[in-house]
Amino acid sequence: MMIHKVNDNVLLDRLANGDEHALNEIYLLYWQDLFMCAYNVLKDKAACEDIVQDLFLQLWQKRSTIQINISLRAYLYTAVRYNVFRQIRTGKVRSVLFEEAAERMAANTTEFIMAEKEMSKQVARVVAALPDKCREVYKLSREEQLTHKEIASRLNISTKTVENQLTIALKRVRASLNTIALIVVTLLAN
């Protein structure tokens, strides 16, 4: 597993430097599994091919700015799942699939569970590195699900301070997780 992670990092570095061969290697490593991940849900070969093709096109187009803080595999699988849900939501595939999508995703969750665990670990690291007050506000909001007013009362601070501290915390979490966090949150919300 560690060797694969190192290889992924090397491939991503080469990709960031414009190495088309790195993109080809990533494609050969992952395209079939990504296609099957999408196909298990959509059952539409053309749509799944488009999803995988678009993912690799975006990876190439964003090669110099993309920051992947989890494994490349987890990033790619999560991106495919996000695009599958987006296609279902926009009605580009049969509406029956929308009703069955959650069940199908649950049946094929190994990669998703791995990605989710990695995301949770990353969030925990970011939260642990927050300043004390900011971390306390974040935990009260997210773990205890207190309102801004309840947090302000408990900590004897203004609601504006709570909002500011929460904004800081969320910006840091988002920055650390980059695009992948938004994808996973979207998947979990569905």
Side-chain angles (χ1 to χ4, degrees), residues 126-140 165 169:
V126 171
V127 170
L130 291 171
D132 293 339
K133 185 65 73 179
C134 192
R135 181 176 54 248
E136 190 173 13
V137 167
Y138 179 87
K139 286 184 173 187
L140 290 172
Q165 293 298 311

Side-chain angles (χ1 to χ4, degrees), residues 71-173:
S71 75
L72 176 60
R73 179 181 184 86
Y75 174 86
L76 293 172
Y77 272 91
T78 305
V80 163
R81 290 178 187 276
Y82 171 78
N83 287 319
V84 165
F85 272 111
R86 192 178 72 216
Q87 264 211 342
I88 292 169
R89 272 194 303 252
T90 59
K92 292 182 180 175
V93 294
R94 296 174 308 174
S95 61
V96 172
L97 287 176
F98 186 72
E99 296 168 4
E100 299 172 0
E103 293 172 26
R104 289 182 191 214
M105 290 298 217
N108 186 18
T109 60
T110 305
E111 295 85 9
F112 184 70
I113 290 171
M114 287 174 34
E116 186 179 357
K117 284 181 182 178
E118 286 188 54
M119 294 299 299
S120 294
K121 287 179 187 175
Q122 181 64 16
V123 169
R125 284 191 292 268
V126 171
V127 170
L130 291 171
D132 293 339
K133 185 65 73 179
C134 192
R135 181 176 54 248
E136 190 173 13
V137 167
Y138 179 87
K139 286 184 173 187
L140 290 172
S141 173
R142 296 304 187 248
E143 293 174 11
E144 294 188 32
Q145 299 178 350
L146 298 179
T147 66
H148 292 186
K149 189 174 182 178
E150 291 169 330
I151 296 169
S153 175
R154 184 180 285 189
L155 299 179
N156 199 24
I157 57 178
S158 72
T159 55
K160 188 66 176 168
T161 301
V162 170
E163 290 171 13
N164 291 339
Q165 293 298 311
L166 197 51
T167 298
I168 291 167
L170 291 174
K171 279 183 182 177
R172 289 190 185 177
V173 168

